[in-house]
Amino acid sequence: MSLSQIYFSTPRLAVAALTPQSAAIETLVGELTLILTPSVKQHLPPDIQSVNDEESVRKWLLNVMGESTFVTIVASDSGALIGFFLLYEEKEANGKSAIRLGYAVGERAQGLGYASEMIAGLVAWCRDSGLISSLSGGAEANNLASIRVLEKNGFVQESNAEHNEGEQRTVFLSRTFC
């Protein structure tokens, strides 16, 4: 099983990888344009800061799909896009994979427990697959909500957890699987 085949559901969410050949890309571009508000983007990496319209979303999406697995998070009841994961896979000598995680949740879905639910679902999928050795991600030091979501799902701060990136400090957290 590869990350491009990832699919799982939680009580309120359906989570599935998107492939570059997917017919859903054009619909997704419109939905991403709506959820990537300045408030959502403020804690995301520099490459997404200039994403402001459908054309820039399309370019960004195709670029990240070339580097990572793009995973959509959709509300089960309405089919609305809640957010997304970006999963960067690094194969290890033992045949397992270390996954670096990035994620975003749309403004309207924030504060409703969706981030915790989607991370919990991803952790369960990684654990159950038997193919993932670790899952790690970073958050700006002042993005306490994101750090709490990761910690609530068993992530721990790495020993060299803080790195300065310009004016921002990034805290790195990880979770290992046996």
Side-chain angles (χ1 to χ4, degrees):
M1 179 185 312
S2 75
L3 290 180
S4 64
Q5 297 170 319
I6 190 171
Y7 174 84
F8 62 86
S9 60
T10 68
R12 300 182 295 165
L13 304 171
V15 180
L18 186 69
T19 63
Q21 300 78 24
S22 175
I25 287 181
E26 284 310 308
T27 302
L28 182 62
V29 165
E31 291 178 301
L32 282 170
T33 302
L34 296 174
I35 72 166
L36 289 173
T37 62
S39 173
V40 169
K41 294 187 306 184
Q42 75 178 335
H43 296 294
L44 299 179
D47 69 321
I48 200 168
Q49 298 306 317
S50 62
V51 172
N52 299 311
D53 57 24
E54 286 193 6
E55 185 56 34
S56 59
V57 167
R58 186 178 293 104
K59 282 183 177 177
W60 172 81
L61 179 59
L62 293 174
N63 184 51
V64 297
M65 288 178 72
E67 302 170 347
S68 66
T69 301
F70 189 92
V71 182
T72 59
I73 293 100
V74 175
S76 299
D77 60 353
S78 68
L81 183 70
I82 297 293
F84 60 87
F85 291 129
L86 295 176
L87 304 176
Y88 299 86
E89 183 176 21
E90 193 174 309
K91 290 285 188 184
E92 297 178 330
N94 63 5
K96 292 190 175 192
S97 295
I99 305 296
R100 229 174 1 101
L101 159 72
Y103 74 94
V105 175
E107 214 171 325
R108 285 189 249 153
Q110 292 178 1
L112 301 173
Y114 287 117
S116 291
E117 186 173 332
M118 63 192 225
I119 295 292
L122 180 62
V123 165
W125 183 88
C126 289
R127 183 189 59 240
D128 295 348
S129 77
L131 303 173
I132 310 300
S133 62
S134 66
L135 190 56
S136 62
E140 287 181 352
N142 65 352
N143 189 351
L144 299 178
S146 186
I147 293 169
R148 260 192 315 275
V149 162
L150 294 171
E151 288 177 338
K152 184 186 210 179
N153 282 288
F155 287 70
V156 294
Q157 287 192 26
E158 297 176 3
S159 58
N160 57 347
E162 292 187 12
H163 300 282
N164 290 325
E165 293 180 10
E167 295 295 313
Q168 299 174 353
R169 289 180 319 147
T170 302
V171 176
F172 292 96
L173 300 100
S174 62
R175 165 124 191 202
T176 56
F177 304 97
C178 296

